[in-house]
Amino acid sequence: MKKRIAALISAVFVLLALCIPVAADGASYIFDVSGALSAEDWATLEAQAQDLSDRYGCGVYAAIVDDSDEYGSDVSDASERIYADNGFGLGEAHNGIFLLLSLSDRNYALHVDGHDAMTAFSSAAQDMVEESFLPALGDDDWAGGLADYLTACGECLERAASGDPIRESPVKAILIAIGASCAVALVVCLILKSKMNSVHKGTSALEYVVDDGLTLTEQYDHYTHTTETVRVIESDSDSSSDSSTRSGSF
């Protein structure tokens, strides 16, 4: 009975926190409006999130709600509204990452805001973060899912702080390019082969005579120059966007 009362009080407190802008100093990072977490789990996750946020200067947030439709038109819109309305993020750029879980429809949104946060949480890094928490959430292990989320965020932030942020591996792009080139080359060879098969040797000299008579001219091939085309590929760090939001189901 005492645990239920404590959970209810915690849920009411968090609900108020989501409706009132939170100051940067002494702010909370883990919000459980639905009461899915025990008091002990919440305290552990809150301490871990605060430690990461203080250590790297990038807010790491998460919230569990019953229905994201109460906060926005969809889960992505709700995550952006909650982030902005509650003053989430650290520094002037409001750097931070925010995971919103909507239990009723089992949807989630991952919102990243601020240039430094976007550097640490590139598209490839966000893929890694998602892969970390989805298995536990699929088993309704909310505390475990958030713990995995925080651990993955810590790895991304540490990589960025050491000057080696997570980026998409070029191997996949290279393999795709090689495969496409081979496919194009194969098609060209097949076309040329089909045209060559249609040529036959003449059996009579008349086949080589045109109406205006047979004219022979000399032809020469002269090498002049080589043209090289260079395409600039922009990296994640070149992006001018300072925020991103992705969503999915668990």
Side-chain angles (χ1 to χ4, degrees):
M1 186 64 179
K2 291 182 179 180
K3 289 185 178 181
R4 291 184 178 179
I5 295 176
L8 180 60
I9 294 175
S10 176
V12 172
F13 173 80
V14 174
L15 179 60
L16 292 175
L18 285 175
C19 298
I20 302 175
V22 182
D25 52 340
S28 293
Y29 296 92
I30 304 298
F31 302 89
D32 179 20
V33 178
S34 65
L37 301 174
S38 67
E40 293 79 9
D41 287 336
W42 176 85
T44 300
L45 295 169
E46 173 69 17
Q48 184 178 356
Q50 184 171 5
D51 176 66
L52 290 174
S53 302
D54 293 342
R55 190 188 316 171
Y56 297 104
C58 179
V60 182
Y61 306 90
I64 305 177
V65 299
D66 291 320
D67 190 350
S68 62
D69 290 344
E70 299 178 6
Y71 305 91
S73 58
D74 54 36
V75 67
S76 295
D77 180 59
S79 67
E80 295 170 3
R81 288 175 178 269
I82 292 175
Y83 193 97
D85 292 346
N86 291 278
F88 285 174
L90 302 182
E92 295 182 358
H94 297 282
N95 288 291
I97 182 171
F98 173 46
L99 174 62
L100 176 63
L101 305 181
S102 178
L103 299 187
S104 63
D105 49 15
R106 301 185 70 84
N107 287 333
Y108 72 89
L110 190 64
H111 178 69
V112 180
D113 204 290
H115 180 270
D116 292 344
M118 288 292 292
T119 299
F121 298 103
S122 62
S123 179
Q126 291 181 48
D127 290 341
M128 188 196 79
V129 172
E130 284 181 320
E131 292 172 359
S132 71
F133 65 73
L134 285 176
L137 295 184
D139 294 333
D140 294 346
D141 182 5
W142 316 124
L146 291 184
D148 293 337
Y149 159 72
L150 294 177
T151 299
C153 287
E155 294 178 7
C156 295
L157 290 169
E158 176 60 29
R159 286 279 299 272
S162 63
D164 182 30
I166 296 175
R167 291 289 181 264
E168 190 73 36
S169 173
V171 176
K172 182 178 180 181
I174 293 174
L175 292 177
I176 293 176
I178 293 175
S181 299
C182 292
V184 172
L186 178 61
V187 171
V188 172
C189 290
L190 291 176
I191 293 175
L192 293 176
K193 182 179 179 180
S194 64
K195 289 183 177 181
M196 292 179 65
N197 290 337
S198 63
V199 178
H200 65 280
K201 183 177 181 180
T203 59
S204 171
L206 293 177
E207 296 185 32
Y208 296 96
V209 179
V210 294
D211 295 339
D212 296 333
L214 181 62
T215 303
L216 296 177
T217 59
E218 294 182 347
Q219 294 182 349
Y220 298 90
D221 291 330
H222 297 280
Y223 174 81
T224 57
H225 65 280
T226 300
T227 301
E228 181 181 6
T229 301
V230 179
R231 181 167 63 94
V232 178
I233 303 176
E234 295 185 356
S235 63
D236 290 343
S237 60
D238 296 327
S239 175
S240 59
S241 175
D242 284 338
S243 68
S244 72
T245 304
R246 60 169 64 185
S247 60
S249 302
F250 55 85

